[in-house]
Amino acid sequence: MAHTGWVLTSEWTKIRSVRSTLWTLAAALVVTVALGMLISFLVRQSYDDLSREERLTFDPTFISFAGTSLGQLAMIAFGILVVSNEYSTGMIRASLTAVPQRGVLMGAKLVIATALALLVGMLTSFLTFFLGQAMLGDHRTDLGEPGVLRAVFGGGLYMGLIALFAMGVTWMLRSPMLSFGVLIPFFFMISSILANVEATEKIGDYLPDQAGSRIMAVIDDGERPYGPWTGLLIMLAWVAASLLAGYVVLKRRDA
Amino acid sequence: MIELSELTKRYGGKTAVEGLTFAVRPGVVTGFLGPNGAGKSTTMRMILGLDRPTSGDVRIDGKRYDQLPEPLTYIGALLEARSVHPGRTAYHHLLCLAQSNGVPERRIGEVLDLVGLSGVARKRPKGFSLGMGQRLGIASALLGDPRILMFDEPVNGLDPEGIHWIRNLMKQLASDGRTVFVSSHLMSEMALTADHLVVIGQGRLLADTSMARFIEENSRPYVQVRSSDPERLRVSLADAGLRPVPQPDGGFEVEGVPAARVGEIAAANGLVLHELSRRQASLEEAFMRLTHGSVEYQAREG
């Protein structure tokens, strides 16, 4: 049977030897941090215009994560490319002849890609927090305040999980175009529209990104029916479902 | 040794491969011949476990593909469709495959040398010509030094020098005692390389025989003869107990007789001959006769 250690090494070689995938990780970091800094800076400039109510729920940690909404798209792109590359190039045929145990191949790829996404996610999360706080000036918070470390650590987890979710969906859809076409509009528009329209708010709250991003908020604005860790669990359920669906498709269909 | 038993693959209502049973033995080059769309690539993908058979079974040295401990060290395959990431260097492509099967890294240099790609080891295959891509595919197949090799249409897109190289490589691999299974839709190509022949048409087995016997059985010799008076020639030959088959150019084909005898008959009847020659039906014709009726897309004559 396939030697799991060998397959992990092989997947590590695959991921580090293709430039395009690594660029998406770099983009996720740069976009999240830069946008987070910009928005934090703008918020400081307009802090005096905020209403009393808005000041009461002012959450400097969450504000510094404002760049995540855009940066996560690069993380999703990473998740899509890592898997769809195999199919769009035909490499999957070489990969499966080398490792015919499809579950082992999928597992090894997920482990390596997710570890990398988590690492970059954590780095991004801490960077965006510190630099965002620097931009917020007098309105900043710090890692020692209650809930802040959880939010920053959670931000890193969120980035890793969103990439993993995209990988699961792509194992199912295979084609890069199809995966981008489904995932990017979903996270960029549909989820935020559903979550912000009153009629669909209840559904929107339970979407993976909406539920998962609750972990990055320190102050509970009372708009979500769940706490930070429950939110992350909801996201985890989505991730598990996408991976299961991806595995079933990989196992059943001809390569 | 590759053994197929009652291998069948259906896509929806369409049957790609139907009840294929044959074995590919070591020490010889086995040609896998069939017109385009006959099911050759599908069969090869099933051997590798890429496509799941609808029914039937494939064994490699007695095992199912996914039961092979390090499959690349048992069987190496060059598939017709490219299976290389164009953005990953030739070296790294081979490295990730080698690592997954515990093949030592030094083997990468050896196979790159063998296929003549050492100079572009650090280059990305997106800039490779068709022939170089094919060589990289062959390097991947040879990577695990396997006892069984399978090539799907390996000469497609190669220049004459490349074709010559690959023919010799296959013969060499077989003479090492390895099992070599190579597909083609060209009889002439098979005649040059294969010792054994498996012919399929529309997914069904049409022949499983040695090349020598196939040639003997199918390349019937005949005499071609032409005269200024075809009608009298026909009658004379018929009177001598022969069966002349008229040709569009006014000549005749006569089977089962030496050319000298046809000449004598003509002379005895005072006929002037414009042509008298010994011919052999080409293997290509034999192949076409065999697969006729099992060709998926046929051009209509006339």
Short mmCIF file of all heavy atoms in Angstrom, two decimals, chain B residues 107-152:
data_model
loop_
_atom_site.label_atom_id
_atom_site.label_comp_id
_atom_site.label_asym_id
_atom_site.label_seq_id
_atom_site.Cartn_x
_atom_site.Cartn_y
_atom_site.Cartn_z
N ARG B 107 17.82 8.16 -9.84
CA ARG B 107 17.15 7.54 -10.99
C ARG B 107 16.62 8.61 -11.96
O ARG B 107 16.52 8.37 -13.16
CB ARG B 107 16.02 6.65 -10.46
CG ARG B 107 15.23 5.91 -11.50
CD ARG B 107 15.97 4.75 -12.14
NE ARG B 107 15.18 4.23 -13.24
CZ ARG B 107 15.70 3.70 -14.34
NH1 ARG B 107 17.00 3.56 -14.47
NH2 ARG B 107 14.91 3.28 -15.31
N ILE B 108 16.30 9.79 -11.44
CA ILE B 108 15.77 10.88 -12.27
C ILE B 108 16.81 11.26 -13.33
O ILE B 108 16.48 11.38 -14.52
CB ILE B 108 15.39 12.09 -11.40
CG1 ILE B 108 14.27 11.70 -10.44
CG2 ILE B 108 14.96 13.28 -12.27
CD1 ILE B 108 14.01 12.73 -9.36
N GLY B 109 18.06 11.44 -12.89
CA GLY B 109 19.13 11.76 -13.82
C GLY B 109 19.30 10.68 -14.86
O GLY B 109 19.49 10.96 -16.05
N GLU B 110 19.21 9.43 -14.41
CA GLU B 110 19.38 8.30 -15.34
C GLU B 110 18.32 8.30 -16.45
O GLU B 110 18.64 8.17 -17.62
CB GLU B 110 19.29 6.97 -14.58
CG GLU B 110 20.50 6.68 -13.70
CD GLU B 110 20.30 5.46 -12.80
OE1 GLU B 110 19.40 4.61 -13.10
OE2 GLU B 110 21.02 5.34 -11.80
N VAL B 111 17.04 8.46 -16.05
CA VAL B 111 16.00 8.39 -17.09
C VAL B 111 16.03 9.62 -17.99
O VAL B 111 15.76 9.52 -19.19
CB VAL B 111 14.57 8.17 -16.53
CG1 VAL B 111 14.43 6.78 -15.94
CG2 VAL B 111 14.16 9.23 -15.53
N LEU B 112 16.40 10.78 -17.42
CA LEU B 112 16.50 11.98 -18.26
C LEU B 112 17.59 11.79 -19.30
O LEU B 112 17.45 12.19 -20.46
CB LEU B 112 16.76 13.22 -17.40
CG LEU B 112 15.53 13.79 -16.69
CD1 LEU B 112 15.94 14.85 -15.68
CD2 LEU B 112 14.53 14.37 -17.69
N ASP B 113 18.69 11.17 -18.89
CA ASP B 113 19.79 10.84 -19.80
C ASP B 113 19.32 9.90 -20.90
O ASP B 113 19.58 10.11 -22.08
CB ASP B 113 20.90 10.13 -19.01
CG ASP B 113 22.13 11.00 -18.87
OD1 ASP B 113 22.11 12.10 -19.44
OD2 ASP B 113 23.08 10.56 -18.20
N LEU B 114 18.60 8.88 -20.45
CA LEU B 114 18.14 7.83 -21.36
C LEU B 114 17.25 8.40 -22.47
O LEU B 114 17.35 8.00 -23.62
CB LEU B 114 17.37 6.78 -20.54
CG LEU B 114 17.02 5.49 -21.25
CD1 LEU B 114 18.29 4.71 -21.57
CD2 LEU B 114 16.11 4.65 -20.37
N VAL B 115 16.38 9.34 -22.13
CA VAL B 115 15.47 9.88 -23.14
C VAL B 115 16.04 11.14 -23.81
O VAL B 115 15.40 11.72 -24.68
CB VAL B 115 14.07 10.20 -22.56
CG1 VAL B 115 13.45 8.96 -21.94
CG2 VAL B 115 14.12 11.33 -21.54
N GLY B 116 17.25 11.54 -23.36
CA GLY B 116 17.90 12.68 -24.00
C GLY B 116 17.35 14.03 -23.59
O GLY B 116 17.33 14.98 -24.37
N LEU B 117 16.88 14.14 -22.35
CA LEU B 117 16.33 15.43 -21.89
C LEU B 117 17.17 16.07 -20.78
O LEU B 117 16.73 17.03 -20.16
CB LEU B 117 14.89 15.25 -21.38
CG LEU B 117 13.77 15.02 -22.40
CD1 LEU B 117 12.44 14.91 -21.70
CD2 LEU B 117 13.72 16.14 -23.45
N SER B 118 18.38 15.56 -20.55
CA SER B 118 19.21 16.09 -19.45
C SER B 118 19.39 17.60 -19.57
O SER B 118 19.38 18.32 -18.57
CB SER B 118 20.58 15.44 -19.46
OG SER B 118 20.42 14.05 -19.35
N GLY B 119 19.50 18.08 -20.80
CA GLY B 119 19.76 19.50 -21.02
C GLY B 119 18.62 20.41 -20.61
O GLY B 119 18.81 21.59 -20.37
N VAL B 120 17.40 19.86 -20.55
CA VAL B 120 16.24 20.70 -20.23
C VAL B 120 15.58 20.28 -18.92
O VAL B 120 14.42 20.61 -18.66
CB VAL B 120 15.20 20.69 -21.37
CG1 VAL B 120 15.74 21.39 -22.60
CG2 VAL B 120 14.76 19.27 -21.70
N ALA B 121 16.35 19.57 -18.07
CA ALA B 121 15.80 19.07 -16.81
C ALA B 121 15.17 20.18 -15.98
O ALA B 121 14.16 19.99 -15.32
CB ALA B 121 16.88 18.37 -16.01
N ARG B 122 15.78 21.37 -16.00
CA ARG B 122 15.30 22.47 -15.17
C ARG B 122 14.36 23.41 -15.92
O ARG B 122 14.08 24.52 -15.49
CB ARG B 122 16.47 23.26 -14.59
CG ARG B 122 17.38 22.40 -13.69
CD ARG B 122 16.73 22.15 -12.35
NE ARG B 122 17.50 21.18 -11.56
CZ ARG B 122 17.20 20.85 -10.30
NH1 ARG B 122 16.16 21.40 -9.70
NH2 ARG B 122 17.91 19.96 -9.66
N LYS B 123 13.92 22.98 -17.10
CA LYS B 123 13.00 23.80 -17.89
C LYS B 123 11.56 23.34 -17.67
O LYS B 123 11.31 22.18 -17.37
CB LYS B 123 13.35 23.67 -19.38
CG LYS B 123 14.69 24.29 -19.76
CD LYS B 123 14.49 25.72 -20.23
CE LYS B 123 15.72 26.34 -20.85
NZ LYS B 123 16.98 26.18 -20.15
N ARG B 124 10.63 24.29 -17.85
CA ARG B 124 9.21 23.95 -17.71
C ARG B 124 8.68 23.39 -19.02
O ARG B 124 8.94 23.96 -20.08
CB ARG B 124 8.42 25.20 -17.30
CG ARG B 124 8.73 25.60 -15.88
CD ARG B 124 8.29 27.00 -15.54
NE ARG B 124 9.17 27.55 -14.52
CZ ARG B 124 9.09 27.25 -13.21
NH1 ARG B 124 8.14 26.47 -12.79
NH2 ARG B 124 9.95 27.74 -12.36
N PRO B 125 7.91 22.30 -18.96
CA PRO B 125 7.48 21.64 -20.19
C PRO B 125 6.56 22.48 -21.08
O PRO B 125 6.27 22.09 -22.18
CB PRO B 125 6.72 20.40 -19.70
CG PRO B 125 7.10 20.24 -18.28
CD PRO B 125 7.48 21.58 -17.76
N LYS B 126 6.11 23.66 -20.62
CA LYS B 126 5.22 24.44 -21.48
C LYS B 126 5.93 24.84 -22.76
O LYS B 126 5.29 25.08 -23.77
CB LYS B 126 4.61 25.62 -20.74
CG LYS B 126 5.56 26.69 -20.29
CD LYS B 126 4.77 27.82 -19.59
CE LYS B 126 5.45 28.27 -18.32
NZ LYS B 126 4.56 28.84 -17.35
N GLY B 127 7.28 24.90 -22.71
CA GLY B 127 8.02 25.24 -23.92
C GLY B 127 8.47 24.03 -24.72
O GLY B 127 9.18 24.18 -25.70
N PHE B 128 8.07 22.84 -24.31
CA PHE B 128 8.54 21.62 -24.98
C PHE B 128 7.79 21.36 -26.28
O PHE B 128 6.59 21.63 -26.37
CB PHE B 128 8.35 20.39 -24.08
CG PHE B 128 9.37 20.28 -22.96
CD1 PHE B 128 10.23 21.32 -22.65
CD2 PHE B 128 9.44 19.11 -22.21
CE1 PHE B 128 11.16 21.21 -21.63
CE2 PHE B 128 10.37 18.99 -21.17
CZ PHE B 128 11.22 20.05 -20.89
N SER B 129 8.50 20.80 -27.26
CA SER B 129 7.84 20.35 -28.48
C SER B 129 7.09 19.07 -28.16
O SER B 129 7.27 18.47 -27.10
CB SER B 129 8.88 20.08 -29.56
OG SER B 129 9.67 18.96 -29.17
N LEU B 130 6.25 18.64 -29.13
CA LEU B 130 5.49 17.41 -28.95
C LEU B 130 6.42 16.23 -28.66
O LEU B 130 6.17 15.42 -27.76
CB LEU B 130 4.70 17.14 -30.23
CG LEU B 130 3.42 16.33 -30.11
CD1 LEU B 130 2.49 16.96 -29.09
CD2 LEU B 130 2.74 16.24 -31.46
N GLY B 131 7.52 16.19 -29.40
CA GLY B 131 8.48 15.09 -29.23
C GLY B 131 9.14 15.10 -27.86
O GLY B 131 9.30 14.06 -27.23
N MET B 132 9.47 16.31 -27.39
CA MET B 132 10.09 16.40 -26.05
C MET B 132 9.09 16.01 -24.97
O MET B 132 9.44 15.35 -23.99
CB MET B 132 10.59 17.83 -25.80
CG MET B 132 11.85 18.18 -26.57
SD MET B 132 12.05 19.98 -26.66
CE MET B 132 12.87 20.30 -25.09
N GLY B 133 7.83 16.42 -25.16
CA GLY B 133 6.78 16.05 -24.20
C GLY B 133 6.65 14.55 -24.14
O GLY B 133 6.52 13.96 -23.06
N GLN B 134 6.71 13.92 -25.33
CA GLN B 134 6.60 12.47 -25.41
C GLN B 134 7.79 11.80 -24.69
O GLN B 134 7.62 10.82 -23.98
CB GLN B 134 6.60 12.09 -26.91
CG GLN B 134 5.93 10.80 -27.22
CD GLN B 134 4.41 10.92 -27.15
OE1 GLN B 134 3.85 11.68 -26.37
NE2 GLN B 134 3.73 10.14 -27.96
N ARG B 135 8.96 12.37 -24.85
CA ARG B 135 10.15 11.82 -24.19
C ARG B 135 10.05 11.95 -22.67
O ARG B 135 10.46 11.06 -21.93
CB ARG B 135 11.42 12.53 -24.68
CG ARG B 135 11.88 12.04 -26.04
CD ARG B 135 12.92 12.97 -26.64
NE ARG B 135 13.17 12.63 -28.04
CZ ARG B 135 14.22 11.89 -28.44
NH1 ARG B 135 15.09 11.46 -27.56
NH2 ARG B 135 14.38 11.60 -29.71
N LEU B 136 9.46 13.08 -22.21
CA LEU B 136 9.29 13.25 -20.77
C LEU B 136 8.29 12.20 -20.24
O LEU B 136 8.49 11.63 -19.16
CB LEU B 136 8.80 14.66 -20.45
CG LEU B 136 8.58 14.97 -18.97
CD1 LEU B 136 9.84 14.72 -18.14
CD2 LEU B 136 8.12 16.42 -18.77
N GLY B 137 7.25 11.93 -21.04
CA GLY B 137 6.28 10.90 -20.66
C GLY B 137 6.95 9.54 -20.57
O GLY B 137 6.65 8.74 -19.67
N ILE B 138 7.87 9.28 -21.49
CA ILE B 138 8.58 7.99 -21.48
C ILE B 138 9.52 7.91 -20.28
O ILE B 138 9.64 6.88 -19.62
CB ILE B 138 9.32 7.78 -22.82
CG1 ILE B 138 8.29 7.57 -23.93
CG2 ILE B 138 10.27 6.60 -22.76
CD1 ILE B 138 8.84 7.73 -25.32
N ALA B 139 10.15 9.06 -19.96
CA ALA B 139 11.02 9.10 -18.77
C ALA B 139 10.19 8.76 -17.53
O ALA B 139 10.65 8.01 -16.66
CB ALA B 139 11.66 10.48 -18.63
N SER B 140 8.97 9.29 -17.44
CA SER B 140 8.11 8.98 -16.28
C SER B 140 7.79 7.49 -16.23
O SER B 140 7.76 6.89 -15.16
CB SER B 140 6.78 9.75 -16.34
OG SER B 140 6.96 11.04 -16.81
N ALA B 141 7.55 6.91 -17.42
CA ALA B 141 7.21 5.49 -17.47
C ALA B 141 8.37 4.62 -17.01
O ALA B 141 8.18 3.60 -16.36
CB ALA B 141 6.77 5.11 -18.88
N LEU B 142 9.60 5.04 -17.37
CA LEU B 142 10.77 4.23 -17.05
C LEU B 142 11.29 4.47 -15.64
O LEU B 142 12.15 3.72 -15.14
CB LEU B 142 11.90 4.53 -18.05
CG LEU B 142 11.62 4.18 -19.51
CD1 LEU B 142 12.74 4.70 -20.40
CD2 LEU B 142 11.47 2.67 -19.67
N LEU B 143 10.76 5.52 -14.99
CA LEU B 143 11.29 5.98 -13.71
C LEU B 143 11.48 4.88 -12.66
O LEU B 143 12.54 4.77 -12.05
CB LEU B 143 10.36 7.08 -13.16
CG LEU B 143 10.84 7.90 -11.98
CD1 LEU B 143 12.08 8.69 -12.34
CD2 LEU B 143 9.73 8.85 -11.52
N GLY B 144 10.47 4.06 -12.48
CA GLY B 144 10.54 3.03 -11.44
C GLY B 144 11.21 1.75 -11.90
O GLY B 144 11.13 0.73 -11.21
N ASP B 145 11.87 1.78 -13.08
CA ASP B 145 12.51 0.61 -13.66
C ASP B 145 11.54 -0.59 -13.66
O ASP B 145 11.88 -1.67 -13.17
CB ASP B 145 13.79 0.26 -12.89
CG ASP B 145 14.70 -0.65 -13.68
OD1 ASP B 145 14.48 -0.79 -14.90
OD2 ASP B 145 15.59 -1.26 -13.08
N PRO B 146 10.34 -0.40 -14.20
CA PRO B 146 9.30 -1.44 -14.08
C PRO B 146 9.51 -2.59 -15.04
O PRO B 146 10.19 -2.45 -16.05
CB PRO B 146 8.02 -0.68 -14.44
CG PRO B 146 8.47 0.39 -15.37
CD PRO B 146 9.87 0.76 -14.98
N ARG B 147 8.92 -3.76 -14.69
CA ARG B 147 9.02 -4.95 -15.53
C ARG B 147 7.99 -4.92 -16.65
O ARG B 147 8.04 -5.72 -17.58
CB ARG B 147 8.81 -6.22 -14.69
CG ARG B 147 9.80 -6.41 -13.56
CD ARG B 147 11.22 -6.58 -14.06
NE ARG B 147 11.37 -7.74 -14.95
CZ ARG B 147 12.36 -7.90 -15.79
NH1 ARG B 147 13.30 -6.97 -15.88
NH2 ARG B 147 12.43 -8.96 -16.56
N ILE B 148 7.00 -4.03 -16.49
CA ILE B 148 5.94 -3.94 -17.51
C ILE B 148 5.87 -2.50 -18.01
O ILE B 148 5.87 -1.57 -17.22
CB ILE B 148 4.57 -4.32 -16.91
CG1 ILE B 148 4.63 -5.69 -16.25
CG2 ILE B 148 3.49 -4.27 -17.98
CD1 ILE B 148 3.37 -6.07 -15.52
N LEU B 149 5.83 -2.35 -19.34
CA LEU B 149 5.70 -1.00 -19.89
C LEU B 149 4.54 -0.95 -20.86
O LEU B 149 4.29 -1.90 -21.61
CB LEU B 149 6.99 -0.59 -20.57
CG LEU B 149 8.03 -0.24 -19.51
CD1 LEU B 149 9.35 -0.86 -19.83
CD2 LEU B 149 8.11 1.26 -19.32
N MET B 150 3.85 0.18 -20.82
CA MET B 150 2.67 0.30 -21.66
C MET B 150 2.75 1.67 -22.34
O MET B 150 2.92 2.68 -21.69
CB MET B 150 1.45 0.22 -20.75
CG MET B 150 0.20 -0.05 -21.48
SD MET B 150 -1.06 -0.65 -20.33
CE MET B 150 -1.54 0.86 -19.58
N PHE B 151 2.65 1.68 -23.66
CA PHE B 151 2.73 2.94 -24.40
C PHE B 151 1.49 3.09 -25.28
O PHE B 151 1.19 2.22 -26.10
CB PHE B 151 3.97 2.96 -25.31
CG PHE B 151 5.28 2.76 -24.59
CD1 PHE B 151 5.94 1.54 -24.63
CD2 PHE B 151 5.85 3.81 -23.86
CE1 PHE B 151 7.16 1.36 -23.97
CE2 PHE B 151 7.06 3.63 -23.20
CZ PHE B 151 7.71 2.41 -23.26
N ASP B 152 0.80 4.21 -25.12
CA ASP B 152 -0.39 4.46 -25.93
C ASP B 152 0.00 5.38 -27.09
O ASP B 152 0.34 6.54 -26.87
CB ASP B 152 -1.48 5.10 -25.06
CG ASP B 152 -2.85 5.05 -25.72
OD1 ASP B 152 -2.95 4.46 -26.82
OD2 ASP B 152 -3.81 5.59 -25.15
#
